Each structure stands twice: as C-alpha cells, then as structure tokens.
Amino acid sequence: MSAIVRSEEVRARGPENVSAYLYIAPALALYSVFFLWPLAQLIYLSMVRWDGMAPKVFMGLQNYRELLASDPRFWLSLQHNLQWLVGAVSVPTGIGLFLAVFLARSPLYGRLAFRTIFFLPQVLSSVVVAIIWRWIYSPDFGALNAILRQVGLASLARGWLGEESLALPALFIASSWVLYGFCMVVFLAALQGIDEAYYDAAKVDGANALQQFWYVTLPAIRGPLSTVILLSAIGAFQVFDLVFIITRGGPAWATMVLSVYMYDNAFRYNKLGYGSAVAIVLGVLILLFSIVFLRVRERLEAA
Amino acid sequence: MLAGAFSLFVLIPFAWVIFGALKSRVEIARNPLGIPAEWHWENLVQAWVVGHFSRYFMNSVYVVAPTVLMILVFSTLAAYAFSLMEFPGKTVLSIIFLFGLAIPLDILIIPLFYDLLALKLLNTHWAVILPQVSICLPFGILLLRSFMADLPGEILDAARIDGCSAAELLYHIVVPLCRPVLTSLLVFTFMWTWNQFLLPVVVIQIDPMRTLPIGLNYFQGRYITNLPLLMAGATISFLPVVAIYIVFQRQFITGIVAGAFR
Amino acid sequence: MKRGGLAVVTLLLVLFLPIASVLVAGCAAQPTPTAAPQPTAATEATQAPEPTATTAPEPVTLQVWYLSGSPEEIQLLEGLSAKFGEAHPGVKVELSAYGYDDMNKTLKLALDSGTGPDVAYCSPGGPFHLAYAKAGHIIELTDIMKERGWDQKHPADAIAYWQKELGGPIYGAPYDVTTVGVYYNKDLFSELGLKPPETWEEFEKLIATLKEKGHTPFAAGAQDGWPFDHYFMALVHVTTPANKIEDLNYVKPGVKFTDDGFVQAATILNGWVQKGYLNENFLAASADDQAKLFTNGQTAMTIAGTWNNFTFVKQSSFKVGFFALPRVDPNIEWRSMLTPNNVWVVSKYSKHQDLAIDYVDYMMGEDVAKALWDSGDIPTFKFATPPKPTSDLQLDVYQATQKTGVGYYFNVNMAEVGDIEIAALQKMAAGKLTPQEAMATIEEAHVKKLAETQQ
C-alpha cells in the first residue's frame, strides 16, 4: 500500500505517516539546528547585554526601547534601506521592464546576444562588483571622473562616494548594474509567452501603445513581475556586501544600512545584545513586508 | 540602439578591469580608461601566485558542491512528502519552513558563530555548507512542492496501480519529471552559495580555508595600493565564472526564469 | 488536524531536545576555546620536538600574522622570517599580512575559536591585545621579557606603553615607534625657498604661500575616515595639554571634547578645509589615494603616520622630508602622536610555543632592528652606537621622535566614539556642522561611554 495520496483523498493513516516524516527528516534536522535554533537564540540575545566575554545580563526589552526611541542611527539606516527599495529596486525594475518590452519586438538573434550580455553582472560575486565600482567612483584615479574630464565636463567631476547626498545614489547605480540583467531576462521570457492575438484584439479595439501595455502586457507578466519585485525588495532590506566593501556606511552614516549597523554593533562595538536586537527588527520588517506583499498579490489576483 | 547603449553600460566596466589588470602602475594612473600601451600579462600570473587564488577557488568548489547536492536531495525528499502525502502537522511544518524564506541568514550570524564555535566547526567547510543548506531548503521545498503538486495525476495513479512504492515513484517518475525545476534550483543555489560573503567572512578566519569572495576581499585589503594587481585578482576571480556562464547560459537563464515563474 | 499539529511539535521537541541541549551547554559556558587542532589544508604542522643540533627535526610551520598596509614592509618581514627559518632547520614561517580592519576582526574571531596563528603582530591596547589577554588567548610575556633581556635592549617605558593600565604585566612587545606629522616635498620647498617651520605662525605662513603659488598644501583620504581623524588628533596634540589627552585616552572623567584645545584643533582643521588647503574631493579619497596624491607630487604635504616611511622612501620621485607639527600653544609640552607601533603576541593555542617565543625574541633582536632601520623605520631597539640614517627622511623622522613627547590615539579605547568622531569631522568638512557643533556631538557619545564604563 502506497503512502501517496492525491489531495482529493485525505487519509491520515498511522503507520504510513512515519515514511512521510522520514522524507522530511533530513531537511527538518538541518533546518532546526542551523536556522530555527539560532533564531531562538537571537531572540534571547536581543534581550541581554553581552560583550562576548563577560556573563550575559538580562535586560528585557531595554535594547528595543533604546533602539526605537533614542537611536537616530537606527532610523537613519532604516531610511536608507527604504530608499534602497526605491532607488535600487523600483527604478531598475521599471527600466528593465521597459527595455524588455522594446527588446521583445526585435529579432531573435540580437535578443539572445543582448540577453547574455545583460545577465553577465549577475554571476559576479559582490566583492568583484564592489572593487569595480569603487574604482569607477574614485575621484582622482577612477573611470567616471576621467571620462568627465576627457569630454570637457570636468566641472561635473566630484567626490561621488564622499558627498552625503551622492554616496547612496552612487551605490544604487552599482547595485542596479547587477539587477538590470536579472529583471530583463525574466521579463523577456514572460513577454514572449504573450500571444500576439491579444495585442491584435486590443489594436482592433483602438488601443494605443500605452494602453496595450497596461491591459495586455502587464496582466500577463504579473506573476514573474511580482516575484522579481519581492525578491529584490527582500534584497534591499538585507543589503550588506556592497555597502560593507565600498563605503562602510559612510560618509558620516550617509550609506549606513541595517545589516551593516547590526554587524558594527556586534563585531566592532562588542554590543552583541544590541546588535541582535537590530537583527530581530530587520527580520521582523522583512517578514511583515513579505506577508503584506503576498496578501496584496492574492487580492489582486483574485480580482 | 537603446539596447546597444545599455550593453555598453554593462560591458564597459569589465573591459576597464581587464585592461587595468594588464597595465603598469604608472600607466593605470595616467591612462585609466584606454587600452594598455604595453600588455603586462605577468600581472595575472603574479596575482594568481601571490594571491593564492587556486586555493580559494578550490575551497569554493569544496563548499558549493556538497551544498548544492544536499539542497537538491533534501528539498526533493521533503517536497515529495509535502506535495503528495498527507500527515498530521503538515500545515504547521509548512509554516515553519516558510520562515526561512522571509528571514535572511545574515541576521542569524551572531548566534550561528557561537553555535559553530561550540560544535567545533569553525574554520571548516561545514561551517559554510550547513547553514547555507539550511537557509536554502525552504526555497527549494517551496519550488519543488508546487511543481510536484501540479504533476498530472494519471501518471502517478498508473504507477501506483502498477504497485510502485512511494520511494520507487519518487525515483523513477517524479524526479525525472521535475528536471526543469531541479535545474532551476541548482542554478540558484550554485550562484547564491558561490557568491556568499557575510557567512564565510565571519566563520572562516584562516587563509587556507577561505572561499573565493573572501579571498578576493582579503587580497583587495592587502594590495589596495597596487591597482593593476588588484584588477588582475578581480579578473582571475570572475573569468572562470563568466566562462562557465557563457557555456551554460541557456541552463542558467532557463533556470532563473523557471524559478521566477512560481 | 490541530491535535495532529500539536503531536508533531511535541515530536519535534523530543527529537531535537538532545541536540538543543548540546548547543545550550556550548553557549551557556563561555566560549571555552580548547586547543583546537591546527586547520587542515595547507599547513604541514606536526608536533615537533625543539630543534636541536643532534636530532633531525620534524618539519614545522610557524603561522605568523602581521599587521601592515605597506607592501614594502611586508616584503621585508617575509625576508626576515625566511632568515629565521634558515637558522632553525626544519622550520618554515608562513607570514600572512592583514590590513588594520581585517587583522582586528579576524584575529579576534580566530582566537575566540581557539585557532589562529602562533604569533601575531597586532593592534595594541584595550580593545585589542589587552582584550585577548583578558580572555586568556595570549600568553603573558613578563618573565620571558626579563629572561631574554628585552627590557634591557628596549626602553622599558616603550614596552610598557600599551599595557600601562595593567600596572606591570606585559602581554605584547612592540619593536618600533611611529608618530604622525607632516611629510613634505623637499624639492618643491627649496624651489619656493621654504623650510620646515619652527613655530605655528611660520607654519600658517608656509601653507598660505604654497596655496598662493598654486599648489595644494595637503592630501587627506577622508572617505576612509581615519586618515582625516589623524589630522584632527595630530592637531589636538599641539593645542591641548598632554595630561588631558592621556586622561581622555584612558576613559577617565574630567575631560570634554568641548574643551578649548579640542575645539581649537577642529577650528584650525575646518579653516584649512574652507580655505581649500586640502585636495579637491578629499571627502571621497581613500587612504590609499592620499598616499598616491602625495607621492605623485600632486600635493605639497600630507599629514600621515610614519609607518608610511617604508613606502614613501621608495615610491616618491622627489626628495621627501618630515617635520613634527609645531605647537599652537607654546606653553604646553611639545607632543606628537608618538607611540610604539603594534605589538608582538604569542597565542596560548600555539602548538609550538617555545618556537613562537624564539621568533618574537628574534624580532626583538638587533639583526631585525638593523633591518628595520635600514628600510627607513624607527625601531625601539637601543643600539650601542646609533646607526647612521639611511636617508634624509629617516633622519627627519628620527629627530621628530626625539624632540616630541609621547602621544595617544585617544579614541582607541572607545570604538563607537571613534566612529562618531569620524562622522562628525566628515560632516564638519562638508559644511554641515560648525567645529563647536561637531565637538558637541562627539562629547554626547563620550558622555554615554563614560557612563557605561562607570557601571
């Protein structure tokens, strides 16, 4: 007798259940030890004061109180993460979509070549990306200012990573350099699945290009679009590598983000309890965002 | 035209880095953008030798291979149970696994460090493999179980009627049908693990065990004053991956796309 | 289904409780690092008996971690380590170099986990080698120092400097000193008829002259933060009485960042920024950019630490000179940020402790001191006869170390305050804060830190 049932036939049988648990066991074991348990520990750690050596001192919700009520750097970091959401996710996603729409109409051979090229930055490690862009932005020896000076726009050459208002946008560009390819590739594939017939029908009804986009294109790629947005948004909340390697959160906290703030507190200031509180807040934010996003998506799909 | 301009935006930084790797220190300061006047190929050799890149590359391989294997196997097993079996606690367990999707590994780095310390796993490949597998499992399980649940019922029923056990069904029928999604999972996991930064940075402190991104970061910290050498190191780091990507790009891209369509 | 769910959770807890308890035990006990086995892969380390002349010794690899950002210095150390290997048959020294941030993070984590090198040349002071000592990771060197005569060969107060707060025990031994002062382009100076200033007024006139003649006076790498902080701290040493700086360094109450000396230093620095005395885009330049700008001759001077000697001696196409910052307040003792550099420590987890101590002893010896001297460094070693300077630059630096008294990196013991200090200075330089406001910001964090340490 097989333990396999189809969902229409719900049968909870005693002995066969053991095999189900056996199938789940390896995954569950690893997941519990290296994810669930540390998560529980993290929650506990966020409520103590600990420098890594002396005994832990239980403090209840003191860390959270301090974090939320009297830590401007926390709120500044959060703000930057939200700005990252806009500047390094929404904008590139929009541009990627735009490009994909254009490219979907072009001949197959060119499309494949472009697709390969655009996707290339995705396979690089963040360290390589960081090295490349840090050098590009270097004020005296880097590529960007060198170009500006050569084309006679020397007045535009500036210290990109040194000005508070420019550093974060500079990081957005570096980050989206990597993201464009991902968006474009996914959207292209989705767009190719749309039947020309729909476009023809829309044209017959008198729809212009924009209306065709809104009524035919967008609904058809809703699934992949929302997945890309969700994944990139989670990425925007947990961004670490680029900030850590290129600006370290500077200048003067202008590019500080939550994950780097957590790292600094835990590993540089020896405030492991406080750092854990930051981590928990970050985790909760991501969780909430995902839940809200998925709910909204469900509602829209039901409509 | 538009796409062409954009391609330039993507490719030019690569060109700069490769050219930079082949210049002398003097030239890269004078002429950061152009083609090198003299081609200093020895920079690449020097970076490889001095930078221990063969060691870092192999460490990355030793980490990524078991990780990908474990994720594929364990996800398939668990997804099989979730999608095609009924058992008490299925809902509860599903939700427990979903946590892993929303919560990134990065925030758990503090307790993970001390756990791995207690388990005496620090500075071993397992310190990177095991947490990485754990964090990727929810994604793998989700991906596979929705695919498996959509499998045509007739095939499964036919096999059952033929007297297939659950295990045989999995091995002979379900897994082959899941090939596209498994490829997708393989690609995702490979890329995530290969480029992992925060985890190895914290749990590996000794040079012989460093993975490629960490090794490159350490190399960057040491040779920041020698720009061509640094560029050479970066070039060595990305060339193999780029080569693999170009050869297998169809699989890469199909994999990513299939994943996004869930 | 609900009851089934509960059953599952119970089942899970029962199954994984044993694993959990192991972890709890591991975490509740302080990370008690036991002598973890040497890492696999590249090292060929085996238990080796002390190499004697008669027995053929087993091959041993000594792991040494060295803190330096200078490729020239690292090369020198690799050569010296090779020499040590030659003198000890069967011994190979594997030297790994680390930058400042990397060393501090990596060494701490490594020692915490009971691994790491046999010997490290690491950052000194409260949050660094003294913290490792407190956690029991490194061995005490006091008796060894006396046995091997280090306190005869080196000035006792130099050795004691970085562990003064312990009141006697020595855990880390330095072997050279550095200070922070003004490197200048000698060729440019003689071209313009300028010479190193003796007073502050002369210095200000000199800077103004350089600017008038179309030269950028200073290079700073403010993007990395600390190079700019060094400008500030160096100025504090010539505006503020030494005892105040010392109290601040040891986190003692009674000193405020809003006191006159500090505000004056910030105002001077701010004035330089406003008058355009620093390289354009200095806020986006890295420490490395700063060094390059100076050695390329694009700025006339740079205020930097003398650990740059190794590099500046080799990399500049012009003659480089050095002078200590003249006093702004002529009534205070003449100080600069003169301190012993980093310290040699021996790990408790080393499997070759005797050999490790021999290595440090070799580093504290005359041969190494001579080699350091020859490459432009200032060792702490007390030579019987003072060696001849190998370059004018070294002579300049040496004289500066003789003329000025000891100084302090006064935010080293207050990591978070240091970050806030850097951020405040960056904001001031961008015109967002006045010097007074910047100092007030730092003082706010300082007060918090003081309160914490009183608890």
Side-chain angles (χ1 to χ4, degrees), chain C residues 5-16:
Chain C
L6 205 55
V8 166
V9 174
T10 325
L11 179 68
L12 279 179
L13 284 174
V14 166
L15 269 179
F16 298 113

Side-chain angles (χ1 to χ4, degrees), chain A residues 28 37 73 252 263 268-269, chain C residues 12 23 105 416 419 426:
Chain A
L28 191 56
W37 177 241
R73 274 176 287 158
Y263 178 92
R268 287 186 58 226
Y269 308 152
Chain C
L12 279 179
L23 291 172
K105 176 193 68 207
E416 208 170 347
D419 276 1
Q426 284 170 329

Side-chain angles (χ1 to χ4, degrees), chain C residues 271-352:
Chain C
W272 288 357
V273 171
Q274 302 295 328
K275 295 193 204 135
Y277 289 163
L278 269 59
N279 53 312
E280 207 184 339
N281 302 321
F282 69 95
L283 281 170
S286 66
D288 173 56
D289 288 343
Q290 172 180 346
K292 259 201 274 212
L293 283 170
F294 177 69
T295 55
N296 285 351
Q298 285 166 268
T299 67
M301 307 181 279
T302 182
I303 295 185
T306 57
W307 51 81
N308 283 301
N309 261 19
F310 292 100
T311 308
F312 286 177
V313 156
K314 294 240 169 75
Q315 294 278 345
S316 323
S317 51
F318 48 84
K319 282 239 196 69
V320 180
F322 182 87
F323 58 84
L325 277 175
R327 279 167 290 179
V328 175
D329 179 352
N331 297 319
I332 61 175
E333 245 184 276
W334 197 13
R335 300 278 187 131
S336 69
M337 288 165 71
L338 174 67
T339 69
N341 195 9
N342 301 312
V343 291
W344 289 101
V345 299
V346 175
S347 163
K348 237 196 213 148
Y349 314 115
S350 167
K351 300 215 137 176
H352 319 286

Side-chain angles (χ1 to χ4, degrees), chain C residues 61-204:
Chain C
T61 304
L62 200 66
Q63 297 276 356
V64 178
W65 288 8
Y66 193 83
L67 198 176
S68 168
S70 155
E72 290 84 2
E73 185 180 356
I74 297 168
Q75 221 174 10
L76 174 69
L77 261 296
E78 282 172 343
L80 291 170
S81 303
K83 278 224 200 103
F84 178 81
E86 283 162 29
H88 291 76
V91 173
K92 184 167 97 82
V93 177
E94 196 171 290
L95 190 87
S96 308
Y98 289 82
Y100 182 77
D101 274 331
D102 278 340
M103 169 64 89
N104 295 327
K105 176 193 68 207
T106 312
L107 185 59
K108 172 178 187 301
L109 291 178
L111 289 174
D112 276 348
S113 66
T115 58
D118 298 288
V119 178
Y121 179 66
C122 68
S123 290
F128 308 116
H129 93 286
L130 287 184
Y132 311 149
K134 203 160 119 180
H137 295 322
I138 58 179
I139 67 175
E140 193 182 327
L141 297 171
T142 330
D143 293 333
I144 299 169
M145 170 185 76
K146 297 206 184 99
E147 252 175 61
R148 310 279 183 135
W150 296 344
D151 50 349
Q152 308 298 323
K153 300 187 208 159
H154 300 258
D157 54 352
I159 301 188
Y161 177 90
W162 284 113
Q163 37 239 327
K164 262 217 275 207
E165 48 261 65
L166 296 182
I170 305 291
Y171 283 91
Y175 74 163
D176 60 348
V177 292
T178 58
T179 184
V180 175
V182 188
Y183 281 96
Y184 68 98
N185 184 336
K186 254 191 173 153
D187 294 347
L188 180 65
F189 270 41
S190 34
E191 204 187 291
L192 297 175
L194 300 168
K195 62 176 187 43
E198 312 262 309
T199 69
W200 185 258
E201 289 72 35
E202 279 179 36
F203 189 39
E204 289 193 312

